[in-house]
Amino acid sequence: MSPNLAVGNLYLETKDQFKELSSMFVKQLGLHPPGTFVRLKNNEVGVVVRRGDLVHTPLVMSILD
């Protein structure tokens, strides 16, 4: 399972009693945890370095064009 899918499932499938904990976990990691490979809008491949200001805007370094 890809890391971003795992984090998304953690948040979406958590029981009510653990929603606050899973929400904190997602906010710390972001939707794309560090080390995740992503394809950028310009079609380059990058790796997530750290989470960004928002959970869906990670800091990414391009590694392949």
Side-chain angles (χ1 to χ4, degrees):
M1 178 180 295
S2 67
N4 58 328
L5 185 59
V7 170
N9 284 350
L10 173 70
Y11 181 73
L12 294 174
E13 296 180 13
T14 302
K15 303 287 186 217
D16 288 336
Q17 65 192 33
F18 298 111
K19 275 291 186 198
E20 187 176 341
L21 179 62
S22 68
S23 178
M24 284 189 274
F25 188 72
V26 171
K27 286 178 185 175
Q28 287 302 309
L29 283 179
L31 292 178
H32 305 282
T36 303
F37 290 96
V38 293
R39 182 161 307 274
L40 305 175
K41 285 184 179 181
N42 63 2
N43 221 21
E44 292 180 355
V45 175
V47 64
V48 176
V49 178
R50 65 179 173 89
R51 70 181 178 95
D53 293 334
L54 302 172
V55 295
H56 65 284
T57 59
L59 177 64
V60 176
M61 293 186 72
S62 178
I63 56 173
L64 295 172
D65 59 9

Coordinates of all heavy atoms in Angstrom, one line a residue:
M1 N 0.9 -1.2 0.0 CA 0.0 0.0 0.0 C 0.9 1.2 0.0 O 1.9 1.3 0.7 CB -0.9 0.0 1.2 CG -1.8 1.2 1.4 SD -2.8 1.1 2.9 CE -3.9 -0.3 2.5
S2 N 0.6 2.2 -0.8 CA 1.4 3.4 -0.9 C 1.2 4.2 0.4 O 0.2 4.1 1.1 CB 0.9 4.3 -2.0 OG -0.4 4.8 -1.8
P3 N 2.2 5.0 0.8 CA 2.1 5.7 2.1 C 1.0 6.7 2.1 O 0.3 6.8 3.2 CB 3.5 6.5 2.1 CG 4.4 5.7 1.3 CD 3.5 5.1 0.2
N4 N 0.7 7.4 1.0 CA -0.4 8.4 1.1 C -1.7 7.7 1.2 O -2.6 8.2 1.9 CB -0.3 9.3 -0.1 CG -0.4 8.6 -1.4 OD1 0.1 7.5 -1.6 ND2 -1.0 9.3 -2.4
L5 N -1.9 6.5 0.6 CA -3.1 5.7 0.8 C -3.3 5.2 2.2 O -4.4 5.3 2.8 CB -3.1 4.6 -0.2 CG -4.4 3.7 -0.3 CD1 -5.6 4.6 -0.7 CD2 -4.2 2.6 -1.3
A6 N -2.2 4.8 2.8 CA -2.2 4.3 4.2 C -2.6 5.5 5.2 O -3.4 5.3 6.0 CB -0.8 3.8 4.6
V7 N -2.0 6.6 5.0 CA -2.3 7.8 5.8 C -3.8 8.2 5.6 O -4.5 8.4 6.6 CB -1.4 9.0 5.6 CG1 -1.9 10.2 6.3 CG2 0.0 8.6 6.0
G8 N -4.2 8.2 4.4 CA -5.6 8.5 4.1 C -6.6 7.5 4.7 O -7.6 7.9 5.3
N9 N -6.3 6.3 4.6 CA -7.1 5.2 5.2 C -7.1 5.3 6.7 O -8.2 5.1 7.4 CB -6.7 3.8 4.8 CG -7.1 3.5 3.4 OD1 -7.8 4.2 2.8 ND2 -6.5 2.4 2.9
L10 N -6.0 5.6 7.3 CA -5.9 5.8 8.8 C -6.9 6.9 9.2 O -7.6 6.7 10.2 CB -4.5 6.2 9.2 CG -4.3 6.6 10.6 CD1 -4.4 5.4 11.5 CD2 -3.0 7.3 10.8
Y11 N -6.9 8.0 8.5 CA -7.8 9.0 8.9 C -9.3 8.7 8.6 O -10.2 8.9 9.4 CB -7.5 10.3 8.1 CG -8.3 11.5 8.5 CD1 -8.2 12.1 9.7 CD2 -9.3 12.0 7.6 CE1 -9.0 13.2 10.1 CE2 -10.1 13.0 7.9 CZ -10.0 13.6 9.2 OH -10.8 14.7 9.5
L12 N -9.6 8.1 7.4 CA -11.0 7.9 7.0 C -11.6 6.7 7.7 O -12.8 6.7 7.9 CB -11.0 7.7 5.5 CG -10.7 8.9 4.7 CD1 -10.6 8.6 3.2 CD2 -11.7 10.0 4.9
E13 N -10.8 5.7 8.1 CA -11.4 4.5 8.6 C -11.3 4.3 10.1 O -11.6 3.3 10.7 CB -10.7 3.2 7.9 CG -11.1 3.2 6.4 CD -10.5 2.0 5.7 OE1 -10.0 1.1 6.4 OE2 -10.5 2.0 4.5
T14 N -10.8 5.3 10.8 CA -10.6 5.3 12.3 C -11.9 5.4 13.0 O -12.8 6.2 12.5 CB -9.7 6.4 12.7 OG1 -8.4 6.3 12.0 CG2 -9.4 6.4 14.2
K15 N -12.1 4.6 14.0 CA -13.3 4.7 14.8 C -13.4 6.0 15.5 O -12.4 6.7 15.7 CB -13.3 3.6 15.9 CG -13.2 2.2 15.3 CD -14.5 1.8 14.6 CE -14.3 0.3 14.2 NZ -14.9 0.0 12.9
D16 N -14.6 6.4 15.9 CA -14.9 7.7 16.5 C -14.0 8.0 17.7 O -13.5 9.1 17.9 CB -16.3 7.9 16.8 CG -17.2 8.1 15.6 OD1 -16.7 8.5 14.6 OD2 -18.4 7.8 15.7
Q17 N -13.8 7.0 18.5 CA -13.0 7.2 19.7 C -11.5 7.6 19.4 O -10.8 8.1 20.3 CB -13.1 6.0 20.6 CG -12.4 4.8 20.1 CD -12.8 3.5 20.9 OE1 -13.9 3.5 21.4 NE2 -11.9 2.6 21.0
F18 N -11.0 7.3 18.2 CA -9.6 7.6 17.9 C -9.5 8.6 16.8 O -8.4 8.9 16.3 CB -8.9 6.3 17.4 CG -8.9 5.2 18.5 CD1 -9.6 4.1 18.3 CD2 -8.1 5.4 19.6 CE1 -9.6 3.1 19.3 CE2 -8.1 4.4 20.6 CZ -8.8 3.2 20.4
K19 N -10.6 9.3 16.4 CA -10.5 10.3 15.4 C -9.6 11.4 15.7 O -8.8 11.9 14.8 CB -11.9 10.9 15.1 CG -12.8 10.1 14.2 CD -12.3 10.2 12.8 CE -13.2 9.5 11.9 NZ -12.7 9.1 10.6
E20 N -9.5 11.9 16.9 CA -8.7 13.0 17.3 C -7.2 12.6 17.2 O -6.4 13.3 16.6 CB -8.9 13.4 18.7 CG -8.2 14.7 19.1 CD -8.5 15.2 20.5 OE1 -9.6 14.8 21.1 OE2 -7.7 15.9 21.1
L21 N -6.9 11.4 17.6 CA -5.5 10.8 17.5 C -5.1 10.7 16.0 O -4.0 11.1 15.6 CB -5.4 9.5 18.2 CG -4.0 8.9 18.2 CD1 -3.0 9.7 18.8 CD2 -4.1 7.5 18.8
S22 N -6.0 10.1 15.2 CA -5.6 9.9 13.8 C -5.5 11.3 13.1 O -4.7 11.5 12.2 CB -6.7 9.0 13.1 OG -7.9 9.7 13.0
S23 N -6.3 12.2 13.5 CA -6.2 13.6 12.9 C -4.9 14.2 13.2 O -4.3 14.8 12.3 CB -7.4 14.4 13.4 OG -7.3 15.8 12.9
M24 N -4.4 14.1 14.4 CA -3.1 14.6 14.8 C -2.0 13.9 14.0 O -1.0 14.6 13.6 CB -2.9 14.4 16.3 CG -3.6 15.4 17.2 SD -3.1 15.4 18.9 CE -4.1 14.1 19.5
F25 N -2.1 12.6 13.8 CA -1.1 11.9 13.1 C -1.0 12.4 11.6 O 0.0 12.6 11.1 CB -1.5 10.4 13.1 CG -0.5 9.5 12.5 CD1 0.7 9.2 13.2 CD2 -0.7 8.8 11.3 CE1 1.7 8.4 12.7 CE2 0.2 8.0 10.8 CZ 1.4 7.7 11.5
V26 N -2.2 12.6 11.0 CA -2.2 13.0 9.6 C -1.7 14.5 9.5 O -0.9 14.8 8.6 CB -3.7 13.0 9.0 CG1 -3.8 13.7 7.7 CG2 -4.1 11.5 8.9
K27 N -2.0 15.3 10.5 CA -1.5 16.7 10.5 C 0.0 16.7 10.6 O 0.7 17.6 10.0 CB -2.1 17.5 11.6 CG -3.5 17.9 11.3 CD -4.2 18.6 12.4 CE -5.7 18.9 12.1 NZ -6.3 19.5 13.2
Q28 N 0.6 15.8 11.4 CA 2.1 15.7 11.5 C 2.8 15.2 10.3 O 3.8 15.7 9.9 CB 2.5 14.9 12.7 CG 2.2 15.6 14.1 CD 2.9 16.9 14.2 OE1 4.1 17.0 14.0 NE2 2.1 17.9 14.5
L29 N 2.2 14.2 9.7 CA 2.9 13.5 8.5 C 2.5 14.2 7.2 O 3.2 14.2 6.3 CB 2.5 12.1 8.4 CG 3.2 11.1 9.3 CD1 2.7 9.7 9.1 CD2 4.7 11.2 9.1
G30 N 1.3 14.7 7.1 CA 0.7 15.2 5.9 C 0.1 14.1 5.1 O 0.3 12.9 5.5
L31 N -0.5 14.4 4.0 CA -1.1 13.3 3.2 C 0.0 12.5 2.4 O -0.3 11.4 1.9 CB -2.1 13.9 2.2 CG -3.4 14.4 2.9 CD1 -4.4 15.0 1.9 CD2 -4.1 13.3 3.7
H32 N 1.1 13.1 2.2 CA 2.2 12.5 1.5 C 3.4 12.5 2.5 O 4.2 13.5 2.5 CB 2.6 13.3 0.2 CG 1.4 13.4 -0.7 ND1 0.9 12.4 -1.5 CD2 0.5 14.5 -0.9 CE1 -0.1 12.8 -2.1 NE2 -0.4 14.1 -1.8
P33 N 3.6 11.4 3.2 CA 4.7 11.4 4.2 C 6.1 11.5 3.5 O 6.3 11.2 2.4 CB 4.6 10.0 4.8 CG 3.2 9.6 4.6 CD 2.8 10.2 3.3
P34 N 7.1 12.0 4.3 CA 8.5 12.1 3.7 C 8.9 10.7 3.2 O 8.7 9.7 3.8 CB 9.3 12.5 5.0 CG 8.3 13.2 5.8 CD 7.0 12.5 5.6
G35 N 9.6 10.8 2.0 CA 10.1 9.6 1.4 C 9.1 9.1 0.3 O 9.5 8.2 -0.5
T36 N 7.9 9.7 0.2 CA 7.0 9.2 -0.8 C 7.3 9.8 -2.2 O 7.7 11.0 -2.3 CB 5.5 9.7 -0.4 OG1 5.2 9.3 0.9 CG2 4.5 9.3 -1.4
F37 N 7.3 9.0 -3.2 CA 7.5 9.5 -4.6 C 6.2 10.0 -5.1 O 5.1 9.4 -4.9 CB 8.0 8.3 -5.5 CG 9.4 7.9 -5.1 CD1 9.6 6.8 -4.3 CD2 10.5 8.6 -5.6 CE1 10.9 6.4 -3.9 CE2 11.8 8.2 -5.3 CZ 12.0 7.1 -4.5
V38 N 6.3 11.1 -5.8 CA 5.1 11.8 -6.4 C 5.4 12.2 -7.8 O 6.6 12.4 -8.2 CB 4.7 13.0 -5.6 CG1 4.2 12.6 -4.2 CG2 5.8 14.0 -5.4
R39 N 4.4 12.3 -8.6 CA 4.5 12.8 -10.0 C 4.0 14.3 -9.9 O 2.9 14.5 -9.5 CB 3.8 12.0 -11.0 CG 4.0 12.6 -12.4 CD 3.7 11.6 -13.5 NE 4.3 10.3 -13.4 CZ 5.5 10.1 -13.9 NH1 6.3 11.0 -14.4 NH2 6.0 8.9 -13.8
L40 N 4.8 15.2 -10.4 CA 4.5 16.6 -10.3 C 3.6 17.0 -11.5 O 3.5 16.3 -12.5 CB 5.8 17.4 -10.3 CG 6.7 17.1 -9.1 CD1 8.0 17.9 -9.3 CD2 6.1 17.3 -7.8
K41 N 3.0 18.2 -11.5 CA 2.2 18.6 -12.6 C 2.9 18.8 -13.9 O 2.4 18.6 -14.9 CB 1.6 20.0 -12.2 CG 0.4 19.9 -11.2 CD -0.2 21.3 -11.0 CE -1.4 21.2 -10.1 NZ -2.0 22.5 -9.9
N42 N 4.2 19.0 -13.8 CA 5.0 19.2 -15.0 C 5.6 17.8 -15.5 O 6.4 17.7 -16.3 CB 6.2 20.1 -14.8 CG 7.2 19.7 -13.8 OD1 7.0 18.6 -13.2 ND2 8.2 20.5 -13.5
N43 N 5.1 16.7 -14.9 CA 5.3 15.3 -15.2 C 6.7 14.8 -14.7 O 7.1 13.7 -15.0 CB 5.2 15.1 -16.7 CG 4.6 13.8 -17.0 OD1 3.8 13.2 -16.2 ND2 4.8 13.2 -18.2
E44 N 7.4 15.7 -13.9 CA 8.6 15.2 -13.3 C 8.3 14.3 -12.1 O 7.2 14.4 -11.6 CB 9.5 16.4 -12.8 CG 10.0 17.2 -13.9 CD 10.9 18.4 -13.4 OE1 10.9 18.6 -12.2 OE2 11.4 19.1 -14.2
V45 N 9.3 13.5 -11.7 CA 9.1 12.6 -10.5 C 9.9 13.3 -9.4 O 11.0 13.7 -9.6 CB 9.6 11.2 -10.7 CG1 9.5 10.4 -9.5 CG2 8.8 10.5 -11.8
G46 N 9.3 13.4 -8.2 CA 9.9 14.0 -7.1 C 9.7 13.1 -5.8 O 9.0 12.1 -5.8
V47 N 10.5 13.5 -4.8 CA 10.3 12.8 -3.5 C 10.0 13.8 -2.5 O 10.5 14.9 -2.4 CB 11.6 12.0 -3.1 CG1 12.8 12.9 -2.9 CG2 11.4 11.1 -1.9
V48 N 9.0 13.4 -1.6 CA 8.6 14.4 -0.5 C 9.7 14.4 0.5 O 10.2 13.4 1.0 CB 7.3 13.9 0.1 CG1 6.9 14.8 1.3 CG2 6.2 13.8 -0.9
V49 N 10.1 15.7 0.8 CA 11.2 15.9 1.8 C 10.6 16.2 3.2 O 11.1 15.7 4.2 CB 12.0 17.1 1.4 CG1 13.1 17.4 2.4 CG2 12.6 16.9 0.0
R50 N 9.5 16.9 3.3 CA 8.8 17.2 4.5 C 7.5 17.7 4.2 O 7.2 18.1 3.1 CB 9.6 18.2 5.4 CG 9.7 19.6 4.8 CD 10.5 20.5 5.8 NE 10.8 21.8 5.2 CZ 9.9 22.8 5.3 NH1 8.8 22.7 5.9 NH2 10.3 23.9 4.7
R51 N 6.6 17.8 5.2 CA 5.3 18.2 5.0 C 5.3 19.7 4.8 O 6.3 20.4 5.2 CB 4.4 17.9 6.2 CG 4.6 18.6 7.4 CD 3.6 18.2 8.5 NE 4.0 18.9 9.8 CZ 3.4 20.0 10.2 NH1 2.4 20.6 9.4 NH2 3.7 20.6 11.3
G52 N 4.3 20.3 4.1 CA 4.2 21.7 3.8 C 3.4 22.4 4.9 O 3.0 21.8 5.9
D53 N 3.0 23.6 4.5 CA 2.2 24.4 5.4 C 0.8 23.8 5.6 O 0.1 23.9 6.6 CB 2.0 25.8 4.9 CG 3.3 26.6 5.0 OD1 4.2 26.2 5.9 OD2 3.5 27.5 4.2
L54 N 0.3 23.1 4.5 CA -1.0 22.4 4.5 C -0.7 20.9 4.3 O 0.3 20.6 3.7 CB -1.9 23.0 3.4 CG -2.2 24.5 3.4 CD1 -2.9 24.9 2.2 CD2 -3.0 24.8 4.7
V55 N -1.6 20.1 4.8 CA -1.4 18.6 4.7 C -1.3 18.1 3.2 O -0.7 17.1 3.0 CB -2.5 17.8 5.4 CG1 -2.5 18.1 6.9 CG2 -3.9 18.1 4.8
H56 N -1.8 18.9 2.3 CA -1.8 18.4 0.9 C -0.8 19.2 0.1 O -0.8 19.1 -1.2 CB -3.2 18.5 0.3 CG -3.7 19.9 0.2 ND1 -4.2 20.6 1.2 CD2 -3.8 20.7 -0.9 CE1 -4.6 21.8 0.8 NE2 -4.3 21.9 -0.4
T57 N 0.1 19.9 0.7 CA 1.2 20.7 0.0 C 2.6 20.4 0.5 O 3.2 21.2 1.2 CB 0.9 22.2 0.0 OG1 0.9 22.6 1.4 CG2 -0.4 22.5 -0.6
P58 N 3.1 19.2 0.3 CA 4.4 18.8 0.8 C 5.5 19.6 0.1 O 5.4 20.0 -1.0 CB 4.5 17.3 0.6 CG 3.7 17.1 -0.7 CD 2.5 18.1 -0.5
L59 N 6.7 19.6 0.7 CA 7.9 20.1 0.1 C 8.5 18.9 -0.7 O 8.8 17.9 -0.1 CB 8.9 20.6 1.1 CG 10.2 21.1 0.6 CD1 10.0 22.3 -0.3 CD2 11.2 21.4 1.7
V60 N 8.7 19.1 -2.0 CA 9.1 18.0 -2.8 C 10.4 18.5 -3.6 O 10.5 19.6 -4.0 CB 8.0 17.7 -3.9 CG1 8.5 16.6 -4.9 CG2 6.8 17.2 -3.2
M61 N 11.3 17.5 -3.7 CA 12.5 17.7 -4.5 C 12.4 16.9 -5.8 O 12.1 15.7 -5.7 CB 13.8 17.4 -3.8 CG 14.0 18.3 -2.6 SD 15.6 17.9 -1.8 CE 16.7 18.5 -3.0
S62 N 12.5 17.5 -6.9 CA 12.5 16.8 -8.2 C 13.7 15.9 -8.4 O 14.8 16.4 -8.1 CB 12.4 17.8 -9.4 OG 12.3 17.1 -10.6
I63 N 13.5 14.7 -8.8 CA 14.7 13.8 -9.0 C 14.8 13.3 -10.4 O 15.8 12.9 -10.8 CB 14.6 12.6 -8.0 CG1 13.3 11.8 -8.1 CG2 14.9 13.1 -6.6 CD1 13.3 10.6 -7.2
L64 N 13.7 13.3 -11.1 CA 13.7 12.8 -12.5 C 12.8 13.7 -13.4 O 11.7 14.1 -13.0 CB 13.1 11.4 -12.7 CG 13.9 10.3 -12.0 CD1 13.1 9.0 -12.1 CD2 15.2 10.1 -12.7
D65 N 13.4 14.1 -14.5 CA 12.5 15.0 -15.4 C 12.1 14.2 -16.6 O 12.4 13.1 -16.8 CB 13.3 16.2 -15.9 CG 14.6 15.9 -16.6 OD1 14.8 14.8 -16.9 OD2 15.3 16.9 -16.8

